């Protein structure tokens, strides 16, 4: 009589948007950290700014990898990557196309 509601499938688009926005933000931060670490010259390699940028780069890399792992788990639960033609997933092609392409290439491998 009372069927349980599958909230993961029901709100998949919202969960996906949150995960992808975090990945995109972390990619931007990682890019800035890479630029900062590369901008320091040889004489500045021993500075705190350089090593903080290197540590930030590593941190954001692991956060991005966690995000892609979450995308895989969500895809296994809901199959969202097969439903990209739906209007509720339109934001993936519009705003987060680079993240989507990275994910689809990773899945194919």
């Amino acid at each position: 009589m009372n069927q349980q509601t599958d909230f993961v499938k029901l709100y998949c688009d919202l969960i996906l948007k949150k995960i992808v926005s975090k990945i995109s933000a972390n990619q931007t931060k990682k890019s800035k950290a890479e630029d900062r670490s590369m901008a320091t010259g040889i004489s500045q390699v021993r500075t705190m700014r350089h090593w903080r940028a290197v540590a930030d780069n590593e941190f954001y890399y692991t956060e991005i990898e966690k995000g892609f792992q979450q995308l895989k788990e969500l895809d296994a639960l809901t199959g969202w990557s097969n439903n990209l033609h739906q209007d509720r997933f339109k934001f993936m092609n519009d705003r987060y196309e680079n993240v989507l392409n990275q994910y689809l290439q990773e899945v194919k491998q």
Side-chain angles (χ1 to χ4, degrees), residues 89-101:
F89 297 116
K90 187 177 180 186
F91 68 92
M92 288 298 290
N93 288 321
D94 293 345
R95 187 163 182 195
Y96 301 110
E97 188 173 7
N98 63 344
V99 176
L100 176 62
N101 291 336

Side-chain angles (χ1 to χ4, degrees), residues 41-71:
I42 295 173
S43 63
Q44 296 176 345
V45 168
R46 294 184 181 165
T47 63
M48 184 69 141
R49 181 176 187 219
H50 171 77
W51 291 112
R52 184 170 292 144
V54 171
D56 287 347
N57 190 16
E58 292 174 8
F59 172 75
Y60 292 126
Y61 176 80
T62 57
E63 289 298 309
I64 291 168
E65 290 302 313
K66 284 180 193 176
F68 279 114
Q69 184 61 35
Q70 290 172 346
L71 286 179

Side-chain angles (χ1 to χ4, degrees), residues 3-75:
Q3 292 181 346
Q4 288 185 335
T5 304
D6 190 2
F7 288 106
V8 175
K9 284 190 178 184
L10 188 62
Y11 295 107
C12 173
D13 54 335
L14 298 175
I15 298 168
L16 181 64
K17 192 171 193 173
K18 186 71 171 178
I19 294 170
V20 174
S21 68
K22 287 180 94 173
I23 290 173
S24 182
N26 285 331
Q27 285 177 335
T28 303
K29 291 174 185 177
K30 181 179 178 283
S31 169
K32 288 180 182 179
E34 283 176 348
D35 292 344
R36 224 177 304 123
S37 67
M38 294 297 205
T40 56
I42 295 173
S43 63
Q44 296 176 345
V45 168
R46 294 184 181 165
T47 63
M48 184 69 141
R49 181 176 187 219
H50 171 77
W51 291 112
R52 184 170 292 144
V54 171
D56 287 347
N57 190 16
E58 292 174 8
F59 172 75
Y60 292 126
Y61 176 80
T62 57
E63 289 298 309
I64 291 168
E65 290 302 313
K66 284 180 193 176
F68 279 114
Q69 184 61 35
Q70 290 172 346
L71 286 179
K72 282 183 185 177
E73 291 175 21
L74 186 64
D75 198 9

